[in-house]
Every structure is written in structure tokens, then in C-alpha cells.
Amino acid sequence: RAVLLVLFCTLALLWARASFAESVVYTALYESHTHRMAVGNAWSSGSPATGALNSDGDECDMVMNLSASQRCEFVKNTPDCVSDEGFINYPWITFCLFLSNLLPLVITLYVLWLFVLFLVLGLIASDFFCPNLSAISSTLRLTHNVAGVTFLAFGNGAPDVFSAMAAFSHPQTAGLAVGALFGAGIFVTTVVAGSIALVKPFTVASRPFLRDVIFYMVAVFWTFTILYKGHITLGETVGYLGLYIVYVLAVVVSAYIYSRQKHQLNGSLENSGRGQEEILPTDSHRRNLSGSIQAHDVEYEPLLPFTLSTTQIFLNAINPVDSRTWRRQRRSGRLLKIIKVPVEVVLLLTVPVVDTDKEDHNWKRPLNCFHIITGPLVCVLTFQSGAYGLYLIEGELPVWVLIACIGAFLSGIVFFTTTNEHPPPYHFLFSLLGFVVSALWISTVASEIVSVLHLLGIVLSLSNTVLGLTLLAWGNSIGDCFADITIARQGYPRMAISACFGGIIFNMLFGVGLGCLVQMFHNDNVITLEPEGVLCWVLSGALGISLVFSFILVPLQCFHLNRVYGIFLLVFYVVFLIVALLTEFKIIHF
């Protein structure tokens, strides 16, 4: 209900702003009729004034300064209105496919489309990306600490990182990345942390908390310095990734020291019987829970054993609807499931998932053989918007046809050399394929999200920074917010608060580091990052102040987070959001 209420309020505000922006545009055009005609004639005639008009900056922003009859031609002839990263040309749809008086309706459809894209983004990350990462970490036999700050952090932060990489791919949308990373940082350190303190007051672990806050403060200060300089070099980009490696080493070393001290302390205790008694109830509870789960599964097993055919295995594997779960769901859950079913079917057909918790590791012979064909096809058709997949070899054979032929050959070999009952020894390689394919799916969806937000910024005359710190940051963080609150309610608030800070550290360092590093492969070794006005400094300043508050106030409270501190964090975020929006609308001047 809360999500639907927020969505309704967002639609109402965007509808009102779109109508107001349209009226303001026509009023300005009427008052400056002479200037408009000069610009319009110079543009439409293709004279040299066009080059001067669109010489720098985001040229597509100027479309709202033209009359409704000129916008379509302007969008078709302006390179900045055609994104190289996405598959859908949103400016052409907005200004050529729909009439100008239907602009509020178009904005409403885009907001709903954003909701669907965020839903798909979370679905790919939770059901396809993270399980494969877990399988890879299990295959490599990584410890829980190393896996938590590497593969698990990558799985949880994949939407944020890929959104930042997509935003950094164009100078016009770099503000989205800055706004999203800083906005998500403020949202997590205030709203999520404050909600955890409200739900379950607790005492945080002092050393891990201070370690995470210090590392995140260093990352934020480093990003602030780069924004102040206005550019980032190759060494600074690699430094972001190096700082995260230092953070991983700090986590591993501290965990080793803590476990060693705990081992020495347990060895010095003369009477360990009490400790054994405390452990037994938990173990027995786990055995009882496991037994109940197994009994629940056995209840639905057939009375007589039978073997499924290859066709039945394939059809069951691509069926995303569980009849038992469907009967227990509410109407809202069923509605979301209906929306996700087409996407889930496509993902099941293209992304292999290896689940180490299952006895057969989720080996589905016919479907996995089909993945050998579809997985590489998705890779070549989604990377760089399919530019490489559609490339013609010697002007005749498309690359995707060659990839499909090779995949079909390998699929046949696997199919005729394996059985339906037992996975092959090389089954773990499917987790690597699933990791790559799901990562490219996430990158594709993130590119579409950035393109939609960029279009909304053009139509509503909003900066990329404010869109990043609101819609993009909320969309990427709302799932983590509910997950951390649920973990806290179940009695694990320390785990929830650790996930908060560990995730945003990874998102900041890898979001900026990988995003700029990928851009340096296509451009020079120096990337220009120009902050979009005062709002960027308000955003970075608010994030720095929230971290300073956490660094000072939490130790003063003996590392105990109570409900009063949670309310303070929530109020701080509300005040920041009000100041940011008033700054964006030029009501407050700094």
C-alpha cells in the first residue's frame, strides 16, 4: 500500500508539473516571439546557426524551447536525442508518436514503465544473478567474510553499479550517477538505518561500524574532491577499485583477528558445558525446522515413483508459477506475479541458474542445453545495444548467426553425453554463463532506466541530479530497505546495519570506478565530470553531514541505536529532501 501511495503521489506531482511546464513554455514562446522565430528559422533551414546552437552541452534539452510542431524534426536531427545504450528511442516516442497535448499521459506511462523496469531489475538480481554468484563462491570455496564483501556485495549492488555505469556512459547523464550514488547513500544511512533502529533498538558492533563509516567517509570525500576538480584521471579511477580491495583486506584481517581472539578465549574457559547447552537448542531447532521442511516437501511427492520425460522436464523448468504458492498469495501478489510471468519465462529460457542447495544443483538437461544457444545470443545482442551481434562478417554473415550455430553444436554435444538424472562434472560452468548473461540483462534494463529518467528530466526541466537522488536512488534502494527491515524484525539488526554500510561502500567505489574506467576505454584517459549546479554540493554536503553525525553520535551513545536516534535520522532525510527540492526549483539560493 505504501508503494502504491508513493507511486500515486509521484504521478500526481509529475502530471501537475508537466501541465505547468507546457503552459510556461508557450508563455515564454509568446513573449519572446521574435527570438523564437529566429532560432526556429535558423534551425529548420539547416544554416550554420544550427551548429552554433548545438555546439556544447546536452542539445536535446532545447527541445522544450521549441513549438510543438518543431519538436519532432528537432528530435530526429539531434544526435543527443538518440541514445546509443538503450533499445527504445524515448524522445521520438514522446514528441513524434504522441500529440503535444498528451504529454501528461506520456509521463504517466513512463512512470509506470519505470516501475516495471525496477521490478524486472530486482527480479534478475535476486532470482538469477545472486544464486549464480553464490554458486561461484561455493565452487571457489570462499569464506563467508570474503564472499560477503565480494560476490554478495556485487549481487546486492548490481542494480546500482550498472545504473551508474549506464549513466556515466554519456556526459549528459553523468549527473544521474552522481545523484543516484549520493542519494542512495543518504537514503540508506538515514531512512534504512533509522527504520532499523525504530523496529529493533540494538547495540552495533563497534569496530565493524567504525571501519565501515570511515571507509565510506573516505570514498565520499574522494568523490567530492573529484567533482570539485571537474575531472577524473585513470590513476584516480583505478584508485577507487584499489580502495575497495583495501576494504576487503581490512574485513578479512579483522575477521581473522576476531576469530583468533575468540578461539583463545574459548580455550581459556575451564567449563564449556554451559556453552554446549546454549548451542543445543539452536541446533535442535534447526533440525526440527529442516525436518518440517522435508516433511512438507514429502507431502507433495507422488506416491509411486516415476521418471519425467525430457519434454516434461523442459516444460516444468520454464514454468514460473508454483500452484501451491499461487493459492496462498493475495490479490496484490498475484497481480505482480502476472506482470512478472512473461519476463520470468524469457529469463528462464536464457539464464542458467546453478543452485548448490539442491541435490542436483538445479540441473535441467534440456533447458541447460537450450541455454548454451540462448545465453551467448543474449550476450551479443544486448552488449552495446546489439551493435556487435548485428555486425556482418565480410558483409554477408551476421555475428549472431555464427554464435547460434556454435551454440547449437555445443548444445548437441552436451545433450547426447549427459543424462537427465545426474549433472555433469562441468555443471559449475553454467553458473559462469548465468553470471555473464544476467549481468548483461541487468545492464540492459539499467540503460533503459537511465534513458527514461533522462527523458523525464528534459520534459519536466529537472536536472539529472535531482532525478538520480529521488527516482533512481529510491528505485534501487527500496528493495534493500524492506529486506533490511525484515532482517531486523527477525532479530538480526546487526546483520541489517552491516548490509547497509557494506553495500553503499561497494556501490560508491565500483559505481564510479567501473563507470569511469569503461568510459576511458572509449575516450581519453581523463573524463570531465561537471556538477550540475548547487544541488550537487547540497547533496554531497548532506551526505557528509549524515556520516559525521553517525561517526560522532553513535559512539557517544555507547554504540546503542535507540528509537530517538532513528526518528532523528528520518527527520534529517526529510529536511534534506525538502532543501534539495527547494534548491532545484530555485526557491532557495546559495
Side-chain angles (χ1 to χ4, degrees):
R1 293 177 182 177
V3 173
L4 292 177
L5 180 60
V6 171
L7 181 61
F8 175 77
C9 294
T10 304
L11 285 173
L13 290 174
L14 292 178
W15 188 293
R17 182 165 176 80
S19 302
F20 176 75
E22 188 75 12
S23 62
V24 168
V25 166
Y26 282 112
T27 302
L29 289 174
Y30 177 77
E31 293 177 351
S32 58
H33 177 73
T34 305
H35 176 70
R36 178 183 63 81
M37 290 300 296
V39 173
N41 292 335
W43 166 76
S44 60
S45 62
S47 61
T50 305
L53 191 65
N54 303 333
S55 59
D56 52 8
D58 187 4
E59 303 170 1
C60 202
D61 286 340
M62 301 180 61
V63 67
M64 296 304 295
N65 297 329
L66 301 173
S67 63
S69 60
Q70 292 179 318
R71 291 174 183 173
C72 181
E73 288 298 324
F74 180 84
V75 164
K76 292 179 179 178
N77 294 277
T78 304
D80 280 342
C81 292
V82 181
S83 176
D84 296 333
E85 300 297 327
F87 287 90
I88 302 176
N89 191 346
Y90 296 100
W92 180 85
I93 293 176
T94 305
F95 300 110
C96 297
L97 195 60
F98 288 91
L99 299 176
S100 60
N101 56 356
L102 296 178
L103 192 58
L105 175 61
V106 176
I107 293 175
T108 304
L109 295 177
Y110 282 152
V111 173
L112 295 176
W113 177 233
L114 272 178
F115 174 75
V116 174
L117 288 176
F118 280 123
L119 194 67
V120 173
L121 200 64
L123 174 66
I124 301 172
S126 62
D127 294 353
F128 296 88
F129 190 72
C130 289
N132 284 313
L133 284 179
S134 177
I136 293 174
S137 62
S138 299
T139 303
L140 298 177
R141 298 181 180 179
L142 300 178
T143 62
H144 293 290
N145 292 317
V146 177
V149 296
T150 53
F151 287 105
L152 183 59
F154 191 24
N156 293 335
D160 304 85
V161 172
F162 282 105
S163 298
M165 292 175 62
F168 274 121
S169 62
H170 289 282
Q172 307 97 298
T173 57
L176 276 175
V178 176
L181 293 174
F182 278 32
I186 299 179
F187 184 83
V188 169
T189 55
T190 56
V191 176
V192 179
S195 300
I196 293 172
L198 283 175
V199 170
K200 191 77 173 180
F202 67 103
T203 301
V204 299
S206 57
R207 287 181 294 181
F209 178 80
L210 292 176
R211 176 200 64 209
D212 293 343
V213 171
I214 290 173
F215 268 96
Y216 191 52
M217 290 176 67
V218 171
V220 171
F221 179 76
W222 195 350
T223 307
F224 177 84
T225 304
I226 289 174
L227 290 175
Y228 182 78
K229 292 192 306 180
H231 65 272
I232 182 172
T233 62
L234 179 60
E236 292 170 335
T237 303
V238 176
Y240 270 93
L241 306 179
L243 181 60
Y244 191 77
I245 295 176
V246 174
Y247 171 71
V248 171
L249 293 177
V251 171
V252 174
V253 171
S254 62
Y256 173 77
I257 295 174
Y258 174 75
S259 61
R260 186 173 181 180
Q261 291 176 350
K262 185 178 179 180
H263 179 73
Q264 293 176 353
L265 181 62
N266 292 334
S268 63
L269 295 177
E270 295 179 357
N271 185 11
S272 60
R274 182 179 178 182
Q276 294 291 334
E277 292 176 359
E278 293 177 353
I279 295 175
L280 285 175
T282 303
D283 291 342
S284 62
H285 173 70
R286 289 179 179 176
R287 285 195 296 267
N288 293 334
L289 180 61
S290 175
S292 63
I293 294 174
Q294 291 177 359
H296 181 268
D297 292 338
V298 170
E299 180 182 353
Y300 288 93
E301 288 183 356
L303 296 177
L304 298 177
F306 69 97
T307 303
L308 294 175
S309 65
T310 301
T311 304
Q312 290 175 327
I313 293 175
F314 181 83
L315 294 178
N316 291 337
I318 64 173
N319 180 20
V321 180
D322 187 355
S323 59
R324 292 170 290 177
T325 306
W326 176 265
R327 287 194 295 265
R328 294 193 299 266
Q329 283 182 336
R330 297 180 179 179
R331 292 183 179 179
S332 59
R334 292 182 179 181
L335 179 61
L336 287 178
K337 187 65 177 179
I338 292 173
I339 296 174
K340 293 191 295 184
V341 160
V343 180
E344 285 183 305
V345 171
V346 174
L347 293 174
L348 288 172
L349 289 172
T350 56
V351 184
V353 177
V354 177
D355 190 353
T356 55
D357 294 333
K358 294 183 178 180
E359 185 178 356
D360 60 350
H361 290 187
N362 199 36
W363 166 249
K364 310 295 181 184
R365 175 169 164 251
L367 181 59
N368 289 142
C369 292
F370 190 67
H371 287 152
I372 299 176
I373 303 174
T374 58
L377 279 178
V378 170
C379 294
V380 297
L381 292 177
T382 57
F383 186 68
Q384 294 293 327
S385 301
Y388 294 99
L390 300 177
Y391 178 77
L392 298 178
I393 301 176
E394 295 185 357
E396 296 182 359
L397 181 65
V399 172
W400 69 268
V401 174
L402 177 63
I403 296 296
C405 293
I406 296 175
F409 176 73
L410 295 177
S411 176
I413 294 177
V414 173
F415 185 82
F416 290 108
T417 56
T418 57
T419 61
N420 293 333
E421 292 77 17
H422 304 287
Y426 50 83
H427 184 218
F428 70 94
L429 294 177
F430 284 88
S431 63
L432 298 177
L433 177 62
F435 164 75
V436 175
V437 177
S438 57
L440 286 172
W441 272 125
I442 292 176
S443 178
T444 302
V445 177
S447 299
E448 296 299 328
I449 291 175
V450 170
S451 299
V452 175
L453 291 176
H454 184 218
L455 189 276
L456 289 177
I458 292 173
V459 174
L460 301 176
S461 300
L462 294 174
S463 66
N464 289 322
T465 304
V466 74
L467 289 172
L469 71 91
T470 52
L471 293 180
L472 188 56
W474 295 340
N476 287 336
S477 303
I478 195 68
D480 296 335
C481 177
F482 288 135
D484 292 337
I485 292 174
T486 303
I487 292 173
R489 283 178 176 174
Q490 293 175 353
Y492 304 99
R494 284 190 176 186
M495 182 187 300
I497 202 70
S498 299
C500 289
F501 283 92
I504 56 179
I505 291 173
F506 178 85
N507 297 343
M508 176 67 73
L509 295 177
F510 264 71
V512 179
L514 282 181
C516 294
L517 189 62
V518 170
Q519 273 302 101
M520 288 181 180
F521 285 116
H522 303 284
N523 301 317
D524 298 331
N525 290 334
V526 178
I527 296 179
T528 302
L529 296 177
E530 296 182 0
E532 297 184 348
V534 183
L535 182 61
C536 184
W537 307 121
V538 173
L539 179 59
S540 57
L543 179 56
I545 292 173
S546 68
L547 291 175
V548 170
F549 280 155
S550 299
F551 186 72
I552 297 177
L553 296 180
V554 174
L556 289 179
Q557 300 178 96
C558 298
F559 295 94
H560 182 72
L561 301 183
N562 51 28
R563 289 187 172 90
V564 176
Y565 184 71
I567 294 174
F568 166 75
L569 292 178
L570 295 177
V571 171
F572 178 86
Y573 182 78
V574 172
V575 172
F576 151 73
L577 197 59
I578 293 174
V579 172
L581 294 178
L582 293 179
T583 303
E584 171 68 18
F585 298 140
K586 310 298 181 184
I587 299 176
I588 295 179
H589 301 278
F590 291 95

